């Protein structure tokens, strides 16, 4: 059985909810990633921040990214998967919620992140096709 822990990218890092978006952008650049999980004061997942969120939700709205926090951008219920979950559960979670990145949690702590690149590297073409069709279907959130 292939698990979330088997296909995830290890070394994912949180951005604390109190950190500003300019710091989040710097961290994204340093880590070469397009999304960061947002943690509350107890290091629990409270959202995910993407580079697109920063541009569209802050900069394009005329807000100052040095004054807006990651926590202010967190919306909705964050999705995640347990490190021991079967890869079929990963795909179900990602397709069911039309998401491209999924934090991996073990013992209530962030241990990794699954992105579309991880899926492409580890899964057969037919499974990738089903995922891509669902996530990139017309009307899917971008």
């Amino acid at each position: 059985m292939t698990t979330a822990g088997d296909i995830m990218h290890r070394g994912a890092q949180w951005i604390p909810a109190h950190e500003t978006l300019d710091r989040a952008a710097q961290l994204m650049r340093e880590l070469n990633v397009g999304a960061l999980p947002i943690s509350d004061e107890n290091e629990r997942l409270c959202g995910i921040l993407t580079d697109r969120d920063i541009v569209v939700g802050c900069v394009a709205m005329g807000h100052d990214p040095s004054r807006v926090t990651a926590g202010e951008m967190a919306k909705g219920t964050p999705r995640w998967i347990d490190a021991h979950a079967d890869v079929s559960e990963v795909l179900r979670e990602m397709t069911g919620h039309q998401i491209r990145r999924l934090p991996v949690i073990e013992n209530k702590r962030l241990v990794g992140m699954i992105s579309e690149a991880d899926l492409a590297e580890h899964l057969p073409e037919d499974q990738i096709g089903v995922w891509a069709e669902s996530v990139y279907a017309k009307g899917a959130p971008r």
Side-chain angles (χ1 to χ4, degrees):
M1 169 176 96
T2 303
T3 67
D6 295 331
I7 67 168
M8 72 182 181
H9 177 81
R10 295 190 180 279
Q13 291 186 27
W14 298 110
I15 185 80
H18 68 270
E19 284 287 353
T20 58
L21 297 185
D22 61 339
R23 177 63 192 126
Q26 292 163 2
L27 186 56
M28 286 179 187
R29 182 187 64 222
E30 291 167 17
L31 298 172
N32 193 30
V33 298
L36 293 169
I38 304 169
S39 69
D40 65 15
E41 63 279 351
N42 298 314
E43 291 194 356
R44 300 284 175 92
L45 182 66
C46 65
I48 294 184
L49 179 68
T50 67
D51 48 7
R52 187 175 194 283
D53 293 333
I54 295 170
V55 172
V56 174
C58 178
V59 176
M61 300 296 288
H63 301 296
D64 181 352
S66 69
R67 296 188 179 274
V68 177
T69 67
E72 290 174 77
M73 298 298 290
K75 297 179 185 98
T77 303
R79 308 307 307 176
W80 58 273
I81 196 85
D82 185 88
H84 303 291
D86 185 77
V87 72
S88 63
E89 293 177 58
V90 170
L91 291 172
R92 196 169 25 257
E93 185 70 18
M94 293 177 82
T95 58
H97 296 281
Q98 293 184 313
I99 55 178
R100 300 175 192 167
R101 300 167 183 101
L102 188 62
V104 181
I105 306 292
E106 186 172 34
N107 298 323
K108 300 181 182 179
R109 297 288 178 227
L110 178 70
V111 294
M113 187 81 105
I114 297 173
S115 70
E116 46 201 330
D118 299 312
L119 296 178
E121 182 179 340
H122 296 284
L123 299 180
E125 282 186 32
D126 61 325
Q127 285 182 313
I128 299 290
V130 170
W131 174 83
E133 186 176 319
S134 171
V135 172
Y136 291 106
K138 187 175 181 174
R142 301 273 180 224

